[in-house]
Amino acid sequence: MSEAPTVIRPDHEVLIVGAGFGGIAAAIELREAGIHDFVLMDKHDGIGGTWYVNTYPGIAVDIPAVFYSLSRMPFTSSSRFFPPGHEIQQYIERVVDAYGLRRRIRLSTTVDGARWDETDHLWRVTVNGGEEVTARYVIGALGLLEVAKLPDIPGIDTFAGHKVHTARWDHDYDYDGKRIAIIGTGATALQLIPELAKVASHLTVFQRTPIWLAPKPDFRIDWGLDKVLSGVQPVRAAVRGAIASGIDMGLIGGVLSLRRMPKVMPYVTKAGGALYKLWLRDPELAEKLTPTYAPGCKRPSMSNEYFSTFKQKDRVALITEKIVRITEHGVLTADGVEHEIDVLVCATGFRVGERGFAPAFHIYGETGEELGDFWHEHHYHAYQGVSVPNWPNMFMVGCGPNSIIPSSILVTIENTAAHARRAIVETRRRGATKVDVNRPAYDDWAKFCTERTEGSMWVTAPCAGSNTYYVNYQGELAIRPTTGLNQWWGNRHFPFRHYTFSTRLGQTPVPTGVSATVGVSEVVEPRPPATRLPRKAT
C-alpha cells in the first residue's frame, strides 16, 4: 500500500509584494472575494509606496483628487483640486484602516527572490536575506517608480557637499541660503525647482532634456467643494465618469491615429514652440526650454510656477551645457565652467523599463527560467498586463508590461487587481491549486500590442531624444494601446479558456472553511497580526 503524498500548506494563500496603492487595491479585492489569508510585504517602514518615499518639497499629484482615488472609497480630505503629496499619503492610511488591512502588512521586509515549486504548487519567496515564506499565489504590486536612478556621471561620489535624490529627500538638512544645484528637469523637477528657488541663495538647474508642460488649473476646494465631490455619491460618480470619458475619447482618437500621428506631430511641435515663446516672452529662455521632441512623447505635465522661476536670472541659472563630471566642490560642464555648489539634488527619476529592474529581484518560473531573462529573449509583455506563461499563480498589479494607459494609474491598478482576483477565485472554485495563462493567449495579446503600436510616434522620429519611459530598453512601447473602458472590460471578462487550471495530487485546494464551489465564504483568520520590524539603519 503506497503512502499518501505529503500535503504542504503554504504560510499564506496570497503574498502581495508592495504596500502602495497596487498592493492595497489587490488586498481589498481579495477581502471582497472572501479571501483573508494574505499578507502584504513592503521593504519600507511605512505604507504608501511611491507616496511614502517621495516627500520632496512641492510634491503633488497631477490628477484631480476625485479621480485619483479608489473607486470604492472617496478622497475626503483634499484641500486642493490637485492634492499635495502628504494628503495622498493620509488618504492611503485611511483606506488601509477602513478595510482593516494594517494587521496584514509586514513592513521593513525586502523580497530578495521567488521560485515556483511545481511539486507543491506554491511559491517559495526569500525575504530579508534568507527567511523563506511560502504562498499559493503571489501578486506583484511593485509600482513603476520604484528603484531610484542616480546619474551616471564621473566623480559623483567625490562631491564633498550634501547630495540627495528626490526619492530619498533629507528633511533634517537645512537648505536655506545654500547654493543648490539640481540635475534633471522632468516631472519631479518641475515641482521641486520653484520650491528650491524660494530658499536657495542661488539655484543652478542642469537640463539635458526640456519638458512640455501646460498651465495647472489648480485651486483650493476645502471651502465645501471637497465635501460635495467626495461626500455626494451621485456627484462623485458623475465627475469621475466625465473625467474617464473625456480621457477615453482622447485615447480613442489617439489609438485610431497611431500610425498617422508621426506625420502631423512635427506641426504640433512647432505650434507648441510658438506657444512657449508667447508664454515666456523671453527668446533666450524659450530656446532653452522648448523641447525638440513632440508633445505627448512623455506623460503631460502641468505647472504655474516652473517657467517664472527661471526669470529670476540673478538667483536662478538654467544650464544646458553637457555635464563633464562632478568635482569635490561643484559641477564641471563642457564649456569649462565649474559651478560651485553646496547641495547637489538628483531629480533623475527611476529605473523604468530597464533590464534587471522590472522587477528588481529574480523570479524563477515553472521551467526554472528567470522572468527578466524570459522578457529579454521574448520581449516585454504580459497577458492583459497581468500574467506570463510558465509563471503560474503569479499576477502583476499596476506594474506589468502593456498595462499602463495614459490616465490615472489607479484605473490601471484597480483593473489589474480585479483580474488577479477573478483568476484566483476561479481557481479556488474549480478546486485547483495552479492557474497559468496559456501561451497562445499570451502570444495573441503580445502580437496585438506590438502591431497596434508599430509605427506610432513614440517609437519613431517625433519622439527621438525624449527619453520617455513609455518605451523600454528594447525599443518597444510598454504601455497598453487601448482605452480605459477596454482595459476595464478585458481584465474583468477575460475568457477562462485563456488559462489552464490544474491540481497537484494530494494538495488541499482551498483553506479550511472556504467553499470550493463558490470560493467566497468567510474564513477564520489563522495568522496573528503582522509585526512591524525596526527600520534598518542607512
Short mmCIF file of all heavy atoms in Angstrom, two decimals, residues 31 49 68 111 137 204 345 352 373 375 404 414 436 502 508 517:
data_model
loop_
_atom_site.label_atom_id
_atom_site.label_comp_id
_atom_site.label_asym_id
_atom_site.label_seq_id
_atom_site.Cartn_x
_atom_site.Cartn_y
_atom_site.Cartn_z
N ARG A 31 -10.24 40.64 -0.07
CA ARG A 31 -11.19 40.66 1.05
C ARG A 31 -12.63 40.69 0.55
O ARG A 31 -13.51 40.05 1.13
CB ARG A 31 -10.92 41.85 1.97
CG ARG A 31 -9.55 41.80 2.62
CD ARG A 31 -9.54 42.43 3.99
NE ARG A 31 -10.33 41.62 4.93
CZ ARG A 31 -10.15 41.60 6.25
NH1 ARG A 31 -9.20 42.34 6.79
NH2 ARG A 31 -10.89 40.87 7.03
N GLY A 49 4.03 53.22 -0.60
CA GLY A 49 4.85 53.07 -1.80
C GLY A 49 5.45 54.38 -2.25
O GLY A 49 6.16 55.07 -1.51
N TYR A 68 -8.21 60.67 -8.62
CA TYR A 68 -7.04 60.00 -8.07
C TYR A 68 -7.40 59.42 -6.70
O TYR A 68 -6.91 59.84 -5.66
CB TYR A 68 -5.85 60.94 -7.95
CG TYR A 68 -4.53 60.21 -7.81
CD1 TYR A 68 -3.90 59.68 -8.91
CD2 TYR A 68 -3.94 60.03 -6.56
CE1 TYR A 68 -2.70 58.99 -8.79
CE2 TYR A 68 -2.74 59.36 -6.43
CZ TYR A 68 -2.14 58.83 -7.56
OH TYR A 68 -0.95 58.14 -7.43
N VAL A 111 11.82 41.66 -0.34
CA VAL A 111 11.75 40.42 -1.10
C VAL A 111 13.01 40.33 -1.97
O VAL A 111 13.27 41.19 -2.79
CB VAL A 111 10.49 40.36 -1.97
CG1 VAL A 111 10.52 39.14 -2.89
CG2 VAL A 111 9.24 40.33 -1.09
N TYR A 137 -0.27 31.85 -4.02
CA TYR A 137 -0.27 32.86 -5.08
C TYR A 137 0.62 34.03 -4.69
O TYR A 137 0.74 34.36 -3.50
CB TYR A 137 -1.69 33.39 -5.34
CG TYR A 137 -2.72 32.33 -5.60
CD1 TYR A 137 -3.51 31.82 -4.56
CD2 TYR A 137 -2.93 31.83 -6.89
CE1 TYR A 137 -4.46 30.84 -4.80
CE2 TYR A 137 -3.89 30.86 -7.14
CZ TYR A 137 -4.64 30.36 -6.08
OH TYR A 137 -5.58 29.39 -6.32
N THR A 204 21.08 76.44 -9.41
CA THR A 204 21.56 76.12 -10.74
C THR A 204 20.86 74.86 -11.22
O THR A 204 20.93 73.82 -10.55
CB THR A 204 23.09 75.89 -10.74
OG1 THR A 204 23.74 77.02 -10.16
CG2 THR A 204 23.60 75.67 -12.16
N VAL A 345 21.26 68.07 -5.87
CA VAL A 345 19.98 67.35 -5.87
C VAL A 345 19.85 66.58 -7.18
O VAL A 345 19.96 67.16 -8.26
CB VAL A 345 18.80 68.34 -5.72
CG1 VAL A 345 17.48 67.60 -5.77
CG2 VAL A 345 18.92 69.12 -4.41
N VAL A 352 12.88 52.63 -14.96
CA VAL A 352 11.62 52.12 -15.50
C VAL A 352 11.91 51.45 -16.84
O VAL A 352 12.53 52.05 -17.73
CB VAL A 352 10.60 53.27 -15.70
CG1 VAL A 352 9.30 52.73 -16.26
CG2 VAL A 352 10.36 53.99 -14.39
N ASP A 373 15.07 37.28 -17.78
CA ASP A 373 15.71 36.63 -18.94
C ASP A 373 14.67 36.26 -19.99
O ASP A 373 14.93 36.38 -21.20
CB ASP A 373 16.47 35.39 -18.49
CG ASP A 373 17.68 35.72 -17.64
OD1 ASP A 373 18.15 36.86 -17.70
OD2 ASP A 373 18.16 34.83 -16.90
N TRP A 375 11.80 37.79 -20.56
CA TRP A 375 11.39 39.02 -21.24
C TRP A 375 12.49 39.53 -22.17
O TRP A 375 12.20 40.08 -23.23
CB TRP A 375 11.03 40.09 -20.21
CG TRP A 375 9.62 39.98 -19.72
CD1 TRP A 375 8.56 39.47 -20.39
CD2 TRP A 375 9.12 40.44 -18.46
NE1 TRP A 375 7.41 39.56 -19.63
CE2 TRP A 375 7.73 40.16 -18.44
CE3 TRP A 375 9.69 41.04 -17.35
CZ2 TRP A 375 6.91 40.47 -17.35
CZ3 TRP A 375 8.88 41.35 -16.26
CH2 TRP A 375 7.51 41.07 -16.27
N ILE A 404 -0.20 49.91 -18.56
CA ILE A 404 -0.45 51.31 -18.25
C ILE A 404 -1.16 52.01 -19.41
O ILE A 404 -0.77 51.87 -20.57
CB ILE A 404 0.87 52.05 -17.96
CG1 ILE A 404 1.65 51.32 -16.85
CG2 ILE A 404 0.60 53.49 -17.57
CD1 ILE A 404 0.92 51.24 -15.54
N GLU A 414 -6.71 49.26 -10.30
CA GLU A 414 -7.96 48.58 -9.94
C GLU A 414 -8.35 47.55 -10.99
O GLU A 414 -8.89 46.49 -10.65
CB GLU A 414 -9.06 49.61 -9.74
CG GLU A 414 -8.86 50.45 -8.48
CD GLU A 414 -10.13 51.17 -8.06
OE1 GLU A 414 -10.57 52.08 -8.79
OE2 GLU A 414 -10.67 50.83 -6.99
N ASP A 436 -2.40 29.01 -14.84
CA ASP A 436 -1.33 29.53 -15.69
C ASP A 436 -1.92 29.98 -17.01
O ASP A 436 -2.72 29.26 -17.63
CB ASP A 436 -0.28 28.43 -15.95
CG ASP A 436 1.03 28.98 -16.49
OD1 ASP A 436 1.19 30.21 -16.49
OD2 ASP A 436 1.89 28.18 -16.91
N SER A 502 -5.15 23.46 -12.84
CA SER A 502 -4.76 22.09 -12.51
C SER A 502 -4.58 21.94 -11.02
O SER A 502 -4.39 22.92 -10.29
CB SER A 502 -3.47 21.71 -13.25
OG SER A 502 -2.44 22.62 -12.96
N THR A 508 -4.43 20.14 -0.86
CA THR A 508 -5.69 20.68 -0.38
C THR A 508 -5.93 21.98 -1.13
O THR A 508 -5.20 22.95 -0.93
CB THR A 508 -5.64 20.95 1.14
OG1 THR A 508 -5.33 19.72 1.80
CG2 THR A 508 -6.98 21.48 1.64
N THR A 517 -16.85 25.51 -3.97
CA THR A 517 -17.83 25.71 -5.03
C THR A 517 -17.89 27.17 -5.46
O THR A 517 -17.87 27.49 -6.64
CB THR A 517 -19.23 25.27 -4.54
OG1 THR A 517 -19.16 23.89 -4.18
CG2 THR A 517 -20.26 25.46 -5.64
#
